[in-house]
Amino acid sequence: MPEFLNILNLDAHYGDFQALYGITLHVDPGEVIAIIGANGAGKSTLMRSVSGLMKDGAEAIRFQGQKIGALRADQVAARGIALVPEGRQLFPSLSVEENLILGGQLGRKGPWSLKRIYDLFPILEERRHQPSTSLSGGQQQMVAIGRALMANPDLVMMDEISLGLAPVIIKQIYEALPGIVGQGMAAIIVEQDISKALSVSRRVYCLQEGRVSLEGASNSVSREEISRAYFGV
C-alpha cells in the first residue's frame, strides 16, 4: 500500500512540559482511524503537531512520502491535510457562507463545493447569511466540518467533534461521516465517546499520558483492553 501518513517517534513540548512521548502511528489512504483517550492524554497535541501548529516533529511526520513536520500550518493544508479544531474556532465576524468560502481559498481541486456542503448539511444553506457564531453549537460544528472539506483535503482530522453537543446533533454529524469519507478521503477522528469512535473507524489508537497505550482493529479490541489502556490500570 502506498505511503500516506506516517508518524515515527514523535515528541512534543509546551515549553519545558513534554506532552507526547515517542508517538508512532500511521494512516493508510482512504482509512478512518480513531484516537481515544482521557482529557490531557495528548490527543489535541497530536492533531496540532500533524497540522503544523507545533514544531517538534520536523523529522517525525511524513505525508505522502514527504517530511512535513517543519512546515507552517498553511503549507500543511496546501499539501492536503485539513483540521476541524476542537472548539470549532469559526470567524465570528463572518457569515456561515463566508466561513465556508475561506476553507476553499487554497484552490485545491476536488469534489467539495458550497453546493455539496449544503447538500450534506441543509440547515447551513438556510442560514448561510447569518453570523456563524449565532448558530447553535451543533450547527457551528457543521460549519467547521464544511470549512475543512472545502479545502478538498486528502486527510481530514476531526478533533472532539461531539464535545458538548446534544445526542441528536451528534447522531446527525456521525450519520454524515460516510458521505464525507466515502470517496477515498482518509480521516482521523479524535473522540472521547468510545462507542462512536469504534463504530466509524477501521483502527483505533488509545493515548495515555502522551504515549500510545493501545493499537488495534476497532472491531476486535475489547472493552477490557480499552479500559486498561485508557486509565492505565
Side-chain angles (χ1 to χ4, degrees):
M1 186 169 288
E3 183 175 287
F4 192 62
L5 178 70
N6 283 280
I7 300 173
L8 181 63
N9 295 324
L10 171 66
D11 296 333
H13 299 78
Y14 295 96
D16 293 333
F17 173 73
Q18 186 165 352
L20 297 179
Y21 298 82
I23 297 293
T24 294
L25 61 80
H26 71 278
V27 183
D28 294 331
E31 183 181 35
V32 179
I33 72 164
I35 308 289
I36 62 174
N39 285 335
K43 305 184 302 296
S44 292
T45 300
L46 174 59
M47 296 299 95
R48 288 172 57 83
S49 295
V50 175
S51 61
L53 296 171
M54 297 185 72
K55 298 303 179 189
D56 289 317
E59 299 296 318
I61 305 171
R62 296 176 66 92
F63 183 62
Q64 296 180 334
Q66 302 295 319
K67 293 179 181 179
I68 65 166
L71 300 183
R72 301 188 311 267
D74 62 307
Q75 294 171 318
V76 173
R79 296 287 181 97
I81 297 177
L83 174 66
V84 182
E86 181 181 359
R88 299 177 282 274
Q89 298 181 23
L90 303 180
F91 293 95
S93 62
L94 301 182
S95 70
V96 167
E97 190 158 292
E98 288 168 335
N99 268 276
L100 293 173
I101 289 171
L102 270 180
Q105 290 301 298
L106 291 170
R108 285 176 55 86
K109 302 299 183 184
W112 290 99
S113 62
L114 274 176
K115 180 182 183 304
R116 181 129 186 245
I117 299 299
Y118 291 149
D119 287 343
L120 184 68
F121 298 124
I123 189 66
L124 299 188
E125 184 170 21
E126 294 178 27
R127 305 193 175 180
R128 63 188 183 276
H129 298 308
Q130 290 183 217
S132 59
T133 50
S134 72
L135 274 58
S136 70
Q139 291 162 1
Q140 289 185 41
Q141 190 65 278
M142 294 173 189
V143 177
I145 293 171
R147 181 179 61 187
L149 295 178
M150 284 288 289
N152 279 297
D154 299 316
L155 170 66
V156 62
M157 303 188 299
M158 301 187 184
D159 193 358
E160 303 284 14
I161 58 174
S162 67
L163 189 65
L165 301 184
V168 65
I169 300 299
I170 295 171
K171 183 172 182 288
Q172 289 177 15
I173 289 174
Y174 271 92
E175 285 176 346
L177 276 177
I180 293 171
V181 299
Q183 293 188 345
M185 184 189 300
I188 299 175
I189 308 295
V190 174
E191 183 58 86
Q192 289 197 47
D193 185 325
I194 295 172
S195 294
K196 289 291 185 188
L198 296 179
S199 71
V200 299
S201 60
R202 178 172 172 262
R203 291 184 300 112
V204 60
Y205 292 87
C206 184
L207 300 189
Q208 204 261 332
E209 295 184 348
R211 296 174 170 86
V212 174
S213 54
L214 175 70
E215 174 190 356
S218 298
N219 62 3
S220 65
V221 292
S222 71
R223 288 308 175 113
E224 182 180 350
E225 290 174 312
I226 290 172
S227 182
R228 285 200 304 267
Y230 206 93
F231 299 108
V233 296

